[in-house]
Amino acid sequence: MRGLKPGAAVAALFAFWVSGAAAGCGAAPEACAVQDGRYHIVLPEASAVPLPVVMFLHGYGGSGAQVLKNKALVEGVTQRGYALIAPEGRKRGVTGPQSWGFGPFDDGRDEGAFFAAVLADASARFGTSGAQTVLAGFSAGAFMVHYLACRDPEAFAAYAPVSGAFWRPQPEACAGPVRLLQVHGWRDEVVPLEGRPLGGGRWEQGDVFAGLELWRQANGCTSHAPDRAWREDGQLRRRWDCGPGAEIEMVLFDGGHALPGGWAGWMADWFEDEPAVR
């Protein structure tokens, strides 16, 4: 679902993880219910309809309600004119922590169908866009972003994973083209850039750089070298422009396993800056 981008607006970004918007279904306190799950949504105070959407997937053991406690994220997204949607993952087993079905853990709920149902329900209830959509996520949520983008790049207009990539063995190939913004902390020890084994070697997180190579192949990039590499406000950035709708940008920030306070602004600037012709 690709479409025109929202116009840029002034962003108000906050740097700390503190109490934010109340979880719920817009003005209602309870979460919105769709087939196979629930989601929370926060709307901007004033914006043109249809509202562009950032769907943000929580990390392992987290929840959609907890996503809305991140004031930097909620304020940063909604003050740019986007609706913020935070779906609830599914429990591992009966009473296990909530996460997502991706890669080696891809069983149970069809997550792509669930996200599509959430987008359709939010559009019907709140007038959100089905075309101006970004799927983002942190940690396990970022893993899910990669796997859905790989399988169905048309499901969202763009993808913005933070601190997550594929697991080993990573997919042999992905569909494309795709617009992807990969953000990762240089000092991340939970999901290191090179990955790490877990469960006594039963599972292994993948290498972020190997994942980017796979995305360059999916986008038909003619060179592995970036079109641009630069430093901006303390971040190291690389960008590959490989054709219409085929853009990859990597942002490395000086930090660990965290969603950086300025992420919402970086994401919105990147999403709104797609050239008309590539």
Side-chain angles (χ1 to χ4, degrees):
M1 300 179 187
R2 300 179 188 273
L4 298 175
K5 300 164 295 302
V10 177
L13 301 176
F14 298 83
F16 301 102
W17 185 282
V18 296
S19 294
C25 188
E30 66 277 1
C32 301
V34 297
Q35 185 174 359
D36 290 334
R38 301 178 301 143
Y39 70 93
H40 308 270
I41 184 169
V42 180
L43 304 172
E45 290 187 5
S47 185
V49 175
L51 296 167
V53 171
V54 174
M55 182 181 291
F56 196 93
L57 308 181
H58 62 75
Y60 180 80
S63 70
Q66 289 176 351
V67 167
L68 300 191
K69 293 181 180 180
N70 185 334
K71 189 173 184 179
L73 175 62
V74 174
E75 297 274 354
V77 168
T78 59
Q79 292 196 22
R80 289 292 287 252
Y82 295 77
L84 177 63
I85 295 177
E88 294 287 352
R90 59 188 175 87
K91 291 185 179 296
R92 294 277 172 85
V94 178
T95 60
Q98 287 196 155
S99 191
W100 308 99
F102 57 81
F105 314 105
D106 189 9
D107 58 353
R109 182 173 70 186
D110 183 333
E111 304 289 28
F114 171 54
F115 300 151
V118 169
L119 286 178
D121 188 77
S123 179
R125 293 193 199 217
F126 306 106
T128 56
S129 176
Q132 299 178 75
T133 57
V134 180
L135 181 64
F138 173 70
S139 194
F143 299 142
M144 185 70 247
V145 170
H146 275 277
Y147 280 95
L148 183 67
C150 182
R151 185 178 74 224
D152 188 7
E154 292 288 335
F156 288 79
Y159 296 87
V162 183
S163 301
F166 294 110
W167 287 58
R168 293 185 184 276
Q170 70 179 25
E172 293 183 1
C174 286
V178 68
R179 293 192 69 207
L180 183 94
L181 175 67
Q182 175 78 48
V183 175
H184 214 104
W186 181 255
R187 294 183 282 112
D188 194 332
E189 296 181 355
V190 177
V191 183
L193 284 163
E194 298 79 12
R196 64 173 178 138
L198 291 172
R202 184 179 177 186
W203 305 291
E204 187 174 357
Q205 295 168 351
D207 187 304
V208 172
F209 299 101
L212 292 177
E213 182 175 9
L214 183 60
W215 285 122
R216 290 193 294 271
Q217 293 171 359
N219 278 358
C221 299
T222 58
S223 172
H224 290 300
D227 295 281
R228 185 184 176 201
W230 74 103
R231 183 184 181 95
E232 181 177 320
D233 297 330
Q235 301 104 43
L236 297 177
R237 299 188 175 216
R238 289 180 174 238
R239 183 166 177 164
W240 295 261
D241 291 311
C242 301
E247 172 194 333
I248 304 164
E249 187 165 321
M250 183 178 190
V251 179
L252 294 176
F253 65 93
D254 184 16
H257 193 64
L259 181 70
W263 175 85
W266 307 345
M267 179 280 305
D269 288 343
W270 168 80
F271 183 58
E272 296 166 10
D273 190 39
E274 182 183 19
V277 179
R278 292 178 182 278

